[in-house]
């Protein structure tokens, strides 16, 4: 996304199956490549990840 991805906005590179369509490609942002999944951010399911990330966005706004 040319101007960065705002919080709460679905990334343009996310497929319908919620997979990164530019994974492993040089245009993938460094912040994405540098992020390692963490139980404290991702939980153990997609639903928990969305809840946790929503809380983090509110807490850091
Ligand atoms: S890893 Fe980064 S570029 Fe890929 S879908 Fe997620 S936010 Fe978008």
């Amino acid at each position: 996304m040319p101007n960065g991805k705002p919080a709460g906005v679905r990334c343009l590179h996310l497929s319908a199956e919620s997979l990164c369509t530019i994974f492993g490609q040089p245009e993938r942002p460094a912040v994405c490549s540098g992020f390692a999944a963490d139980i404290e951010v991702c939980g153990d399911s997609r639903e928990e990840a969305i809840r946790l990330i929503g809380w983090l966005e509110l807490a850091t706004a």
Side-chain angles (χ1 to χ4, degrees):
M1 299 175 82
N3 299 314
K5 189 191 85 52
V9 174
R10 187 176 173 86
C11 180
L12 294 176
H13 301 298
L14 203 53
S15 74
E17 296 78 25
S18 295
L19 299 174
C20 178
T21 58
I22 58 172
F23 189 88
Q25 298 179 32
E27 60 266 37
R28 188 174 184 227
V31 68
C32 300
S33 301
F35 177 77
D38 187 306
I39 192 77
E40 291 190 17
V41 176
C42 304
D44 61 6
S45 66
R46 182 179 186 281
E47 291 72 26
E48 191 170 4
I50 289 173
R51 183 181 62 77
L52 289 168
I53 292 169
W55 179 84
L56 285 166
E57 285 177 355
L58 283 175
T60 59

